[in-house]
Each structure stands twice: as structure tokens, then as C-alpha cells.
Amino acid sequence: MTDQVPLLELRDISKSFGRVHSLRGVNFDIRAGEVLGLLGDNGAGKSTLIKILAGVHQPTGGELRWNGEPISLPSPRDAMAQGISVVYQDLGIIPLLSIYRNFFLGREESVAMKLPGMLILRKAQMREIARRSLAQLGIHLDDVDLTVAKLSGGERQSIAIARAVHFQSKLLILDEPTAALSLKETAKVLSYVREAKRQRVSVVLITHNIQHAFDVCDRFAVIFHGRVAEVAEKGDVSVQDLANLINTGTRHQTKMAV
């Protein structure tokens, strides 16, 4: 337990699409510098929750608080300005663009020379920043002019994570970052998550692989049928407990009648 004000707090968050209730009174918080595992089966409401935090959807009810203050996120740009970065399964990168151009995708103004009616990119500076930021995550690439299409899945994840850390995101949300990766690539991505935490970035990890979550997460929030089944510290829960919570909404495995 801690008396520290959470970085982000969700209070009674609900979301309905007509008569479909995707989220029903969701309550949990995200602490500064922690990795929180957001777990749940398909259709539990995780994707809807991510989109609310990303500014894509607006909650039907409830309140978001950032460092104790109420906030609204009416658009993805507002979420980004607040310090929230979301890395979806498609990563939000363009395979045919270079590594350094993908690194600054949507953030070109931060390194551009502004002239009336146009922006001139400072490409040498962009290359150096991208190279240095990747190196801080343990990714050493000499040629950041390579197209992303030539990189492995784990290396593509590293670009998205390094980009979030560089642009001083306070909260990084990773949607299934280890899906379809080899064991070696998965280990790399999980190491990037640990490094982001070391740099005081809070991370929300959404994954179907409970063991991956258990390897890197400090706490877990399990969503079941649009509600929070439980929020638990890592030391107070087992992998089997989490599996039961995902499948049944309770730690205790339901016994089938004979």
C-alpha cells in the first residue's frame, strides 16, 4: 500500500455503445514508475478502456484523474500532450519509411525548421536522436536509414517504446507487444519494458500471456465482463490465480457439476 498520489486514477469509468455496456464502473489506478498488467479475455473491455485512455473514446460516466487532478481526453492529441503514449498491435509505424522517420512520425515539428507554409526537417539531428534513444534501450543500430520493413518484430517494438521514452511520455500503454514474437524476441521486448520502468515511465502491459505479464509487472488489474474482477500486487497473487480471474472473475476455480 502507498499514500502517494497515483499518476492516473480511473474512478467508476463506464462506457456504453447504445444498449451494449462495454465497461461498468471500472476503478483502479496506475502508480508512477510501475508496470501494471491489464489482463482479461477477449471481449472483457480492455480495448475499449485503452481507447478511452488514448482519447479515442469518451467515457459514458466516471472520472479520470492525473496526479490527483480531474482531466478529460477529448482526442488522441490531448492524450499525447498529457504524456500518454499508446502502442497498438500494429505499432503505428510505416514499414516503408526509415527507422528515424518512423521515430519522429507525427512529431516532426519538434525537429523541423519552420518557414512560412513549410517545414524543413533537420534529418541529421533526427538520425542522431533516433540512434541515441534506441541505444538507451540497448538497441544499437548503425544505420537508422534502413526501412522498418527490414527489422524483426522485436526491433519494431523497440522503436515504438524508445519513441515514447524520448518524448517524455509519463504513461506507456503496450497492447499485446509480444504477440507473434519468438522466445528470443519476446525476451528482448520484456527487457525494453523493464528499461522504460527504470527511466520512471509507467507502463500498462496488455497481454494474453500471463507468464509474460508475471515476469515484468508489479501489479495486475483483471477485467471480467466490463468490470474489475480484482487489482492485486504481484506478491499476493499466483499465475493460476490470474488465470482463474480472467476465466471466471474469481480466484477460485469454478468446479463443474458431475
Side-chain angles (χ1 to χ4, degrees):
M1 298 292 291
T2 179
D3 295 328
Q4 184 178 0
V5 176
L7 175 67
L8 179 64
E9 186 177 3
L10 290 78
R11 294 187 174 184
D12 204 28
I13 294 295
S14 299
K15 180 62 180 176
S16 299
F17 298 93
R19 295 185 179 182
V20 178
H21 302 288
S22 296
L23 297 173
R24 299 169 182 261
V26 170
N27 291 280
F28 67 87
D29 60 35
I30 301 162
R31 301 167 186 165
E34 79 164 348
V35 183
L36 177 77
L38 182 60
L39 308 178
D41 208 349
N42 291 333
K46 302 189 304 299
S47 295
T48 301
L49 191 53
I50 294 169
K51 289 176 180 177
I52 287 175
L53 299 181
V56 176
H57 291 329
Q58 302 306 305
T60 306
E63 181 182 55
L64 297 175
R65 285 182 169 260
W66 186 267
N67 286 324
E69 297 296 326
I71 60 166
S72 62
L73 302 172
S75 73
R77 188 165 292 278
D78 289 296
M80 188 183 298
Q82 191 70 51
I84 300 172
S85 290
V86 182
V87 180
Y88 296 101
Q89 284 180 272
D90 61 9
L91 299 179
I93 59 178
I94 300 175
L96 295 181
L97 281 183
S98 66
I99 294 169
Y100 83 89
R101 287 297 301 274
N102 269 287
F103 189 90
F104 285 94
L105 196 62
R107 308 262 196 171
E108 290 85 357
E109 288 189 8
S110 66
V111 288
M113 181 187 302
K114 299 176 179 64
L115 296 176
M118 65 185 301
L119 295 175
I120 298 177
L121 298 179
R122 295 185 172 97
K123 294 185 177 180
Q125 183 181 359
M126 292 168 71
R127 290 184 178 96
E128 178 56 31
I129 290 173
R131 189 180 295 112
R132 185 173 63 246
S133 297
L134 286 164
Q136 288 175 352
L137 280 183
I139 305 299
H140 300 280
L141 296 172
D142 294 326
D143 188 5
V144 290
D145 284 286
L146 285 173
T147 60
V148 168
K150 296 180 180 179
L151 301 181
S152 68
E155 288 170 332
R156 295 185 191 195
Q157 285 284 354
S158 73
I159 295 173
I161 296 173
R163 181 170 60 191
V165 172
H166 172 74
F167 287 106
Q168 299 183 332
S169 296
K170 297 178 179 66
L171 175 61
L172 174 60
I173 302 174
L174 300 175
D175 184 16
E176 297 288 351
T178 61
L181 295 184
S182 67
L183 291 175
K184 184 177 180 181
E185 290 289 294
T186 293
K188 287 182 181 179
V189 170
L190 296 181
S191 74
Y192 305 152
V193 172
R194 295 187 186 97
E195 182 59 26
K197 175 188 173 180
R198 193 185 70 79
Q199 298 190 37
R200 297 299 295 167
V201 177
S202 299
V203 181
V204 174
L205 177 66
I206 297 97
T207 179
H208 280 90
N209 191 306
I210 302 172
Q211 188 59 58
H212 293 169
F214 209 79
D215 287 344
V216 296
C217 293
D218 303 299
R219 290 191 303 147
F220 306 93
V222 181
I223 308 295
F224 183 75
H225 291 180
R227 301 180 187 274
V228 175
E230 187 172 332
V231 178
E233 300 281 348
K234 181 176 181 176
D236 297 332
V237 71
S238 68
V239 170
Q240 186 59 56
D241 288 335
L242 293 173
N244 292 342
L245 283 163
I246 291 169
N247 292 324
T248 69
T250 176
R251 289 196 189 199
H252 306 292
Q253 194 167 13
T254 303
K255 294 182 179 180
M256 298 182 65
V258 179

